[in-house]
Amino acid sequence: MNDIIHLLPDSVSNQIAAGEVVQRPASVVKELVENSLDAGATQIQVVIKDAGRTLIQVIDNGKGMSETDARMAFERHATSKITSANDLFALTTMGFRGEALASIAAVSHTELRTQQEGAELGTRICIAGSVVETQEEIAMPAGSNFMVKNLFYNVPARRKFLKSNEREFFHILIEFQRIVLVNPSIGFTLVHNNTEVFNLPATNIRQRIIQVFGKSAVQQKHLNQHLLNIDVHTTIATISGFVGKPETSKKRNDQQYFFVNGRYMRHSYFHKAVMQAYEPLIPAGEMPTYFIYLTVDPSTIDVNIHPTKTEIKFENEQAMWPILSAAVKEALGRFSVAPTIDFDREDAPEIPVFSQNNTNIQPPQPKFNTNYNPFKSSSGNVPRSSVSSNWEKLYEGFEREKGTHPFFEETNNSNPAKVVPEEEKQLEVSLDIQETNNHNLHFKGKYILTAIKSGLMLIDQHRAHVRILYHTYLNQIRNKKGASQKVLFPEIIDFSTQEAALLPLLLDDLHYMGFELNDMGNDSYAINGVPTGITEMHPGEIIKNMLHSLKEKGTNVKEQMSEALALSLAKNTAIPYGKTLSNEEMQHLIDQLFSTNAPNHTPDGKLILHILTNEELDKLFK
């Protein structure tokens, strides 16, 4: 029999490895910048064109490479970071596997220019699909210059599944921000399509956070005032960084970062420790701001459990929980954010000192009236006959109203319960509503109760309005026509760099909904018009919520994105819980709900209404 097992060519194995390491242009940016950091660079420039499809260029002033090292760097598992397996448990560098450059060169046209400090000449290497095309000597400043062009040119399927330029650049921004936040002593520049996005000089951690997230002087001042310092030293770890004051918490907060030994990480367990510290200080569902930097012994963590190195395993994970939670609580308490008792204040009330010589101290005695009788009024005993007559009158009124209120309809229990198919329930409920009067009850500002022929229907008012508005906004987007009204005083809204990168995806649909936005420059927009009916709300906050919703869903297909946008706006503008509705408003809401094609559930699958049948109600009182 013929042998069928064979070794894959290097070009194929490199493309397979690239599937893990190079997921999108942002992955290339991350790997190249981390290599520059390992090379000891103090200035790093990142140049992007067409969100990385056309060009990703990283220029640094690091130590550079020799001619031999420049060639070896593109071989798989060639690395200067480790020499034995034991080194994996004492890592102090960002990269160590030796897969990044080989994977990048396998799926792009890559050019490297590099020269060591003090060398007369440097090296230029051009590689296409893992094949070295040219290698020559050049003269250049000390450092390295990587240019990655036409990413995934030889893997059409991977290139086809890249998202829009706006979304891919958004991911590049995320990776760039994660790196610059943990390396404040290094100067960074980011340029996209010949526009400078970031120019960050070397500074300290606090100022780097302000540089990244403060677009204007007002925002920088506000952020600076609300950052609380953390600085805790223990034998297990050193915890430093900043947490935000409780008033800066948001429903969706993208300013939450954990770093360990200079490396960004995700850690849901530690996130819960931070949330526990904030629990009594912020409303349920809101997220605090934090930038927390952990320094631990490299031998106590494992960063080699995921190709992206963002998931890290800790040896002392459970022991670090209380330390981290206590560090956050201390920061909040030290700055008088959390309630504390200060016994050292000069104006504190004097607390009497108990002396054992005071032997005659008696405990307080309760006082009560032994002659009190709850069945006596101020004028004496209440006659039994008057109580009886009063109850009889109340009962007579109850009997008189019985049968007139829709909730007291007589039912016939002789008919057995009938199973109705799900697709017929909507029509049945609609017919039931038409055959009853239009009297509704409002319960706790949340539910609408209305009697129908088959029983009692309970409707969630907020979810019902979400379903109604969703259809309205989605039709406006599809028909490219929405009702807008001008605002008397335009609201200026400042977007973060991440938000500004996503905004172009929404501009057309926002316009069809009724928003009128004018670009004021520097990621600021003026809101001159809003959809009819939301003038009393904060349109800037609504737009930001929609951007965060889009970021979380990661939608790219136009129809799906339109649906997500319509749902987000509907949730933000629907009738809130606690709002009192008149009977006419409740009836109008019910009529509108059953004019939609799916009144039972919201677009994201949450239950809108529930019917207690006559049979179920009767069983409750048996």
Side-chain angles (χ1 to χ4, degrees):
M1 297 180 65
N2 295 329
D3 298 332
I4 60 174
I5 297 178
H6 59 276
L7 292 175
L8 288 173
D10 288 343
S11 59
V12 177
S13 59
N14 286 342
Q15 287 189 19
I16 294 173
E20 292 185 350
V21 180
V22 186
Q23 300 172 354
R24 59 194 336 147
S27 306
V28 178
V29 173
K30 174 182 180 293
E31 298 293 347
L32 294 183
V33 174
E34 287 182 348
N35 282 344
S36 296
L37 294 172
D38 288 339
T42 59
Q43 292 290 332
I44 300 175
Q45 182 180 9
V46 182
V47 180
I48 307 294
K49 288 188 177 179
D50 300 327
R53 297 170 189 265
T54 304
L55 173 67
I56 299 172
Q57 184 176 14
V58 177
I59 306 169
D60 68 61
N61 63 347
K63 59 186 178 183
M65 289 179 279
S66 66
E67 180 181 357
T68 302
D69 286 346
R71 183 67 176 263
M72 281 291 295
F74 290 96
E75 298 293 333
R76 286 194 69 193
H77 308 307
T79 178
S80 63
K81 316 297 174 58
I82 60 175
T83 57
S84 66
N86 292 332
D87 294 338
L88 289 173
F89 303 101
L91 291 170
T92 58
T93 57
M94 302 299 291
F96 55 89
R97 292 194 182 104
E99 291 183 328
L101 292 182
S103 299
I104 293 169
V107 292
S108 66
H109 293 97
T110 304
E111 179 180 330
L112 166 62
R113 300 183 182 189
T114 183
Q115 182 169 326
Q116 290 180 315
E117 183 71 34
E120 295 182 0
L121 293 173
T123 303
R124 175 177 176 267
I125 297 178
C126 295
I127 301 176
S130 297
V131 178
V132 178
E133 294 184 335
T134 60
Q135 180 173 344
E136 59 184 0
E137 292 183 337
I138 61 168
M140 61 170 290
S144 298
N145 183 343
F146 279 94
M147 285 181 282
V148 178
K149 305 175 183 178
N150 305 321
L151 187 63
F152 299 130
Y153 80 98
N154 56 347
V155 191
R158 294 288 303 278
R159 191 174 178 90
K160 181 180 68 173
F161 283 102
L162 289 177
K163 307 299 183 182
S164 64
N165 283 355
E166 291 82 4
R167 180 161 289 282
E168 292 299 339
F169 182 64
F170 169 76
H171 287 285
I172 291 174
L173 278 175
I174 291 177
E175 293 294 349
F176 182 82
Q177 290 176 350
R178 290 172 178 174
I179 293 173
V180 302
L181 285 172
V182 78
N183 294 281
S185 60
I186 299 173
F188 289 90
T189 304
L190 175 63
V191 178
H192 183 223
N193 291 340
N194 300 320
T195 300
E196 187 177 82
V197 181
F198 281 112
N199 188 347
L200 308 173
T203 183
N204 55 43
I205 291 179
R206 188 186 194 97
Q207 288 302 316
R208 177 54 58 85
I209 294 171
I210 294 172
Q211 288 174 353
V212 173
F213 294 103
K215 298 294 294 183
S216 64
V218 174
Q219 289 179 327
Q220 291 179 355
K221 182 179 179 181
H222 178 268
L223 184 58
N224 187 40
Q225 292 174 342
H226 289 81
L227 289 178
L228 307 178
N229 182 57
I230 293 179
D231 190 12
V232 175
H233 300 268
T234 69
T235 56
I236 296 178
T238 296
I239 303 175
S240 60
F242 301 90
V243 294
K245 292 183 179 179
E247 54 263 35
T248 63
S249 63
K250 307 173 186 175
K251 287 290 186 183
R252 299 179 177 91
N253 199 336
D254 56 1
Q255 296 178 13
Q256 296 180 325
Y257 292 88
F258 277 116
F259 303 97
V260 58
N261 292 359
R263 189 189 303 274
Y264 169 81
M265 71 167 180
R266 298 188 186 95
H267 210 292
S268 58
Y269 186 67
F270 290 165
H271 171 74
K272 291 178 181 178
V274 176
M275 293 300 297
Q276 184 188 59
Y278 275 91
E279 205 167 67
L281 302 174
I282 62 176
E286 293 200 352
M287 311 292 286
T289 296
Y290 59 79
F291 305 87
I292 297 177
Y293 300 78
L294 307 175
T295 303
V296 301
D297 183 351
S299 63
T300 63
I301 60 173
D302 185 4
V303 301
N304 194 32
I305 62 175
H306 194 273
T308 62
K309 300 187 283 287
T310 57
E311 298 177 13
I312 298 175
K313 183 67 176 176
F314 284 75
E315 180 181 307
N316 301 315
E317 197 170 77
Q318 293 184 346
M320 289 186 63
W321 167 288
I323 298 174
L324 179 58
S325 183
V328 176
K329 289 179 180 179
E330 181 189 8
L332 295 173
R334 192 187 325 125
F335 292 91
S336 300
V337 174
T340 58
I341 301 177
D342 190 354
F343 294 98
D344 298 326
R345 290 174 49 186
E346 294 181 359
D347 58 343
E350 182 179 353
I351 302 176
V353 180
F354 175 77
S355 174
Q356 294 184 355
N357 296 327
N358 300 333
T359 56
N360 296 325
I361 297 177
Q362 297 294 329
Q365 299 296 325
K367 296 181 180 180
F368 53 90
N369 184 3
T370 56
N371 296 321
Y372 175 73
N373 187 343
F375 298 100
K376 286 186 177 182
S377 66
S378 59
S379 60
N381 292 333
V382 179
R384 182 179 181 87
S385 59
S386 64
V387 175
S388 176
S389 61
N390 288 339
W391 274 103
E392 289 173 359
K393 290 180 179 179
L394 289 174
Y395 184 74
E396 288 175 0
F398 179 81
E399 285 290 331
R400 186 169 54 252
E401 293 179 3
K402 183 179 177 181
T404 61
H405 195 281
F407 288 173
F408 294 102
E409 291 179 335
E410 294 291 340
T411 58
N412 186 0
N413 297 331
S414 60
N415 295 328
K418 174 183 166 184
V419 179
V420 182
E422 183 67 30
E423 60 271 13
E424 296 181 11
K425 287 184 179 179
Q426 178 185 339
L427 178 59
E428 180 181 293
V429 173
S430 299
L431 293 174
D432 281 354
I433 292 176
Q434 295 174 3
E435 296 180 14
T436 58
N437 56 36
N438 295 334
H439 189 83
N440 311 291
L441 288 182
H442 206 203
F443 182 67
K444 290 191 175 181
K446 186 174 183 179
Y447 301 109
I448 299 173
L449 284 68
T450 186
I452 58 177
K453 185 177 181 181
S454 59
L456 176 64
M457 181 167 62
L458 297 85
I459 301 174
D460 186 303
Q461 69 179 34
H462 174 75
R463 293 180 181 179
H465 203 206
V466 167
R467 167 57 72 180
I468 295 166
L469 293 178
Y470 170 78
H471 284 280
T472 301
Y473 294 138
L474 188 59
N475 288 334
Q476 289 176 358
I477 294 175
R478 289 172 174 171
N479 299 329
K480 299 183 178 181
K481 185 178 180 181
S484 178
Q485 59 186 106
K486 297 287 185 181
V487 295
L488 185 60
F489 300 104
E491 178 182 348
I492 305 298
I493 178 172
D494 296 318
F495 293 103
S496 68
T497 306
Q498 290 184 13
E499 293 168 341
L502 285 178
L503 188 61
L505 292 171
L506 305 184
L507 283 177
D508 287 343
D509 289 348
L510 288 174
H511 175 70
Y512 300 145
M513 285 180 170
F515 287 101
E516 292 184 15
L517 300 179
N518 287 342
D519 189 353
M520 306 295 290
N522 197 28
D523 297 337
S524 297
Y525 284 78
I527 304 177
N528 295 322
V530 297
T532 303
I534 71 167
T535 52
E536 296 180 0
M537 303 180 185
H538 298 286
E541 184 177 342
I542 291 174
I543 294 175
K544 285 202 170 193
N545 287 339
M546 288 191 286
L547 282 169
H548 283 285
S549 177
L550 181 64
K551 180 179 71 173
E552 292 172 357
K553 292 180 181 297
T555 305
N556 189 56
V557 180
K558 183 64 178 176
E559 179 63 20
Q560 293 178 351
M561 189 178 69
S562 298
E563 292 174 356
L565 187 61
L567 177 58
S568 179
L569 183 58
K571 286 182 175 179
N572 280 279
T573 57
I575 297 172
Y577 294 123
K579 181 178 176 60
T580 303
L581 303 178
S582 66
N583 184 66
E584 291 74 16
E585 290 172 329
M586 288 187 283
Q587 189 59 45
H588 181 64
L589 189 69
I590 295 172
D591 294 340
Q592 284 186 307
L593 174 63
F594 283 95
S595 67
T596 64
N597 57 4
N600 291 338
H601 295 86
T602 61
D604 51 351
K606 294 180 179 178
L607 188 67
I608 295 177
L609 60 88
H610 178 73
I611 298 176
L612 289 173
T613 64
N614 292 325
E615 291 77 10
E616 291 172 334
L617 289 170
D618 289 339
K619 287 180 181 178
L620 294 176
F621 295 96
K622 284 185 178 179

